[in-house]
Amino acid sequence: AEAIAFYGAHQAGILTPAQDRLHFAAFEVITADRDELIALLQAWTVAAARMCGGDYAGPGGAAGGDYYAPPDDTGEAQGLPASGLTLTIGFGPTLFTDADGVDRFGIADRLPEALRELPPFALDALDPAVSGGDLCVQACANDPQVAVHAIRNLARIGFGTVSQRWSQLGFGRTSSTSTAQSTPRNLMGFKDGTANLKAEDGDLLEKHLWVGADDGADWLTGGSYLVTRRIRMRVETWDRTTLAEQEEIFGRDKSEGAPLGATGEFDEPDFEAEADGVPVIAAKAHIRLAHPTMNGDARMLRRGYSFVDGSDNLGRLDAGLFFIAYQRDPEAGFIPVQRSLSENDVLNEYIEHTSSAIFACPPGVRDEDDWWGRALF
Ligand code: HEM
């Protein structure tokens, strides 16, 4: 029920202990007017601060304003507490320049080197209609209605300035971002988030999560790069796979989540161990391929959610993992790991990446005079 502080050095919703529900939305900016974009970001910041505090999106509330105008708030979160709502904004590469390289809002010279479209990966099955975006807002909360209400009201406020490009609901966190949290399970039934970067990781966060002052984009210092991938799971096929194969694919046991050959969830995996001349953790196990030692010390903060978007026309669940990762530099985080996974992971028989996006998330909003992206304009 508690409210999470909206103001701070970093945006909430990154290191915040992962809430249980997600509504992630990507927008296109449909105005060409820089001042209109700035006005929108300012209006969004005010509404976001209010909603994260458990208040209506606007001062008139759902029914207290002008009777002959649409209400200041859509109303469906009335009576619900803040529910740990966080709203986290990100800017996509297409906000800076259009497809022809034209500077859209006079900020092209501020496009960070690292904010580039992700390279293609083996087996990508991306649908461009639900990929990319000029702006994104990640709404996380412990009540799905609160998360949906927040995105809906931001879209309402943005009417005429932005249009929603795609959005994704998520219903169960698939990571822990604090050692105080127990590790949840993804839709394959495995504990997910065990070896994640966490709020208690001290210096590792400066090294791997937050953009530093010398990283080449002043306005982004204290921010982070966000990569999203909608990963569909072929759950029906997975459910007909033996337990032995399931554990071999991840390199961890299904009940405890311990690395194979160890007993505790948080034991270190021993990648050298062999039994009868065969590696105990398979050469192509997910945790081996994704491990920092295999990818030039690549680390990221994973913050994904499970989704089930109904069934497809063959009666199969349209289900999977909406993967979210934050990092200081995608070239030293997501990209090398995904390259290794996309080329070698046996898990690929059971998954398909259907959407992809990258955003730069600015540092936190300091106080009521500050606004989302101020340092960019
Ligand atoms: C670890 C599941 C996709 C990066 C794990 C673990 C599971 C898992 C069960 C072990 C527990 C843990 O440490 O969290 C999945 C599933 C995926 C998926 C079901 C797709 C549906 C990805 C992708 C990436 C990734 C796309 C990044 C490109 C990692 C990393 C680790 C990990 C870095 C920790 C490795 C370590 O240091 O031990 N994943 N994962 N995963 N995964 Fe994934």
Side-chain angles (χ1 to χ4, degrees):
E2 93 284 17
I4 293 181
F6 178 76
Y7 301 108
H10 303 295
Q11 287 197 79
I14 301 175
L15 270 189
T16 308
Q19 304 93 320
D20 217 44
R21 306 295 179 134
L22 170 79
H23 191 184
F24 190 96
F27 297 87
E28 279 168 22
V29 180
I30 55 176
T31 179
D33 186 324
R34 174 184 162 107
D35 293 337
E36 273 180 38
L37 173 59
I38 291 173
L40 168 81
L41 292 169
Q42 291 171 338
W44 267 8
T45 310
V46 172
R50 294 179 59 97
M51 292 191 285
C52 291
D55 207 344
Y56 294 114
D66 182 353
Y67 197 56
Y68 296 100
D72 259 4
D73 184 287
T74 53
E76 71 273 28
Q78 285 180 88
L80 300 177
S83 308
L85 175 68
T86 55
L87 293 166
T88 313
I89 198 168
F91 304 125
T94 51
L95 183 70
F96 297 78
T97 53
D98 68 13
D100 302 319
V102 175
D103 185 353
R104 294 180 66 190
F105 301 105
I107 52 173
D109 61 338
R110 322 210 74 188
L111 175 67
E113 189 67 12
L115 186 61
R116 268 190 249 135
E117 301 294 349
L118 291 170
F121 296 103
L123 305 175
D124 271 355
L126 307 178
D127 177 355
V130 293
S131 296
D134 299 336
L135 298 170
C136 76
V137 180
Q138 171 198 274
C140 296
N142 292 312
D143 183 325
Q145 185 135 334
V146 169
V148 168
H149 167 263
I151 293 296
R152 178 177 171 196
N153 278 272
L154 295 180
R156 179 183 58 77
I157 291 166
F159 184 79
T161 309
V162 291
S163 75
Q164 204 160 312
R165 179 173 168 84
W166 56 272
S167 83
Q168 179 69 51
L169 291 175
F171 63 83
R173 66 182 170 95
T174 60
S175 73
S176 299
T177 54
S178 163
T179 53
Q181 295 184 292
S182 61
T183 314
R185 288 179 188 272
N186 60 36
L187 290 182
M188 287 175 161
F190 278 76
K191 286 189 185 172
D192 206 337
T194 305
N196 204 11
L197 267 186
K198 296 192 175 137
E200 294 78 7
D201 281 338
D203 291 349
L204 284 180
L205 302 177
E206 299 305 323
K207 187 164 176 219
H208 297 288
L209 179 61
W210 304 122
V211 175
D214 301 326
D215 289 357
D218 282 352
W219 65 272
L220 199 54
T221 305
S224 193
Y225 291 94
L226 163 59
V227 170
T228 67
R229 306 281 288 188
R230 182 182 186 276
I231 309 175
R232 182 164 177 193
M233 293 174 178
R234 302 189 175 107
V235 289
E236 292 78 8
T237 317
W238 178 258
D239 295 344
R240 281 180 262 131
T241 306
T242 64
L243 179 59
E245 185 177 341
Q246 294 186 3
E247 294 194 343
E248 185 180 324
I249 286 173
F250 285 113
R252 287 183 177 269
D253 89 287
K254 199 167 182 177
S255 330
E256 171 66 22
L260 295 181
T263 50
E265 185 194 339
F266 296 99
D267 292 351
E268 282 301 316
D270 180 356
F271 295 121
E272 307 294 317
E274 296 192 352
D276 303 326
V278 180
V280 173
I281 298 176
K284 295 188 169 183
H286 184 77
I287 66 161
R288 183 193 289 270
L289 296 172
H291 199 266
T293 54
M294 296 290 288
N295 301 289
D297 197 29
R299 300 203 57 172
M300 61 196 108
L301 180 119
R302 287 173 284 143
R303 212 177 189 287
Y305 287 84
S306 294
F307 67 84
V308 176
D309 293 341
S311 307
D312 67 15
N313 54 10
L314 295 173
R316 303 173 303 191
L317 279 186
D318 186 2
L321 172 66
F322 187 70
F323 178 91
I324 296 178
Y326 289 91
Q327 60 245 280
R328 178 177 178 183
D329 177 4
E331 281 289 351
F334 177 80
I335 293 173
V337 178
Q338 177 55 16
R339 196 169 281 137
S340 151
L341 292 176
S342 65
E343 286 165 12
N344 301 300
D345 201 349
V346 190
L347 186 61
N348 291 328
E349 283 182 36
Y350 304 94
I351 62 173
E352 189 173 55
H353 288 235
T354 60
S355 134
S356 174
I358 183 167
F359 302 96
C361 300
V365 177
R366 286 180 316 212
D367 53 36
E368 287 175 18
D369 297 323
D370 196 7
W371 43 278
W372 270 341
R374 181 185 44 80
L376 181 56
F377 290 91

